[in-house]
Amino acid sequence: KNPSLKMEIEQKGHMYISRPKKIRWNFQKPSEKSFISNGSSLWVWDPALNQAIKSTDLGDNDMMSLLEDLSSIDEHFEIELAYETEDDFQLRLKPKSEASFRKLNLKFSKKNKILKSVEVEDAVGGEVDLQFTNLSFNPELAPETFDFQPPEGAEVIDGAF
C-alpha cells in the first residue's frame, strides 16, 4: 500500500535466502523485477527499463539482520503478542532504535513455528504485506543464484538503499 499514491499493488514472485546475507527475490507480477544480494552488494534489476541499480553500502540493514538471526530479536525490538488463534500467532515488533521501518508484524504457524507472513510499515507510512507459501527448507542452491551481471547495454546506476 502506497499512502501517497493511495493504491495497493499486488506482486508475486519467488524468494531464495542463504546465509550469510544472501537473497534473491524475483517478482513476476505485475512486472518483472529482481533484488539480488551476494552478501556484499545488492542489485535491483528492472528488465522493462533495462536498468540495474547496484549498492555496496549494505550497512546494518534491519530487515536483512532479522532474516539472518531471530535469536537476538529482543535486543533490537520491543516485542508484543498481537494476537493468537488456534492455528497461528502474530508478534508485533517495534524497533528500539532508529530503523528503516516503524513496525513489523511476524505471523507464525503454531504447529511448526514457520514464518507465514511479514507485514511492514515503513518510515513514511507505506505498507508491505508478504505472504509465504510453498516453502522449501535447506534446498541445494547453486552459488551463482546470488550473483548478478547486468546484460550488455543495460543502464547501471550506483546507489545506496
Side-chain angles (χ1 to χ4, degrees), residues 97-121:
S97 58
E98 188 175 328
S100 60
F101 55 90
R102 289 184 196 169
K103 69 178 178 181
L104 177 69
N105 295 326
L106 304 176
K107 182 177 177 181
F108 293 90
S109 163
K110 270 188 170 177
K111 181 180 178 181
N112 52 22
K113 309 300 187 270
I114 300 295
L115 184 64
K116 294 171 67 173
S117 70
V118 175
E119 298 172 357
V120 182
E121 181 180 333

Side-chain angles (χ1 to χ4, degrees), residues 46-129:
D46 188 329
L49 297 175
N50 196 29
Q51 181 183 80
I53 302 171
K54 179 184 181 183
S55 178
T56 53
D57 180 18
L58 302 183
D60 293 327
N61 183 297
D62 310 312
M63 294 299 288
M64 189 65 86
S65 297
L66 186 61
L67 287 173
E68 279 295 301
D69 185 11
L70 286 174
S71 68
S72 63
I73 196 169
D74 58 337
E75 292 176 26
H76 306 286
F77 300 95
E78 293 176 19
I79 305 168
E80 65 180 53
L81 181 64
Y83 72 82
E84 184 173 11
T85 68
E86 187 176 315
D87 298 324
D88 51 53
F89 63 95
Q90 186 174 43
L91 300 177
R92 180 169 294 124
L93 283 64
K94 292 185 180 175
K96 288 183 177 179
S97 58
E98 188 175 328
S100 60
F101 55 90
R102 289 184 196 169
K103 69 178 178 181
L104 177 69
N105 295 326
L106 304 176
K107 182 177 177 181
F108 293 90
S109 163
K110 270 188 170 177
K111 181 180 178 181
N112 52 22
K113 309 300 187 270
I114 300 295
L115 184 64
K116 294 171 67 173
S117 70
V118 175
E119 298 172 357
V120 182
E121 181 180 333
D122 66 25
V124 295
E127 296 178 11
V128 176
D129 183 5

Side-chain angles (χ1 to χ4, degrees), residues 14-55:
H14 296 90
M15 180 188 297
Y16 307 90
I17 298 173
S18 181
R19 290 190 177 121
K21 298 185 180 185
K22 295 179 182 177
I23 188 167
R24 182 177 195 103
W25 202 345
N26 298 327
F27 289 104
Q28 285 82 35
K29 293 180 181 179
S31 61
E32 192 176 336
K33 188 179 268 191
S34 295
F35 297 82
I36 306 113
S37 176
N38 61 9
S40 60
S41 61
L42 173 67
W43 288 91
V44 178
W45 167 241
D46 188 329
L49 297 175
N50 196 29
Q51 181 183 80
I53 302 171
K54 179 184 181 183
S55 178

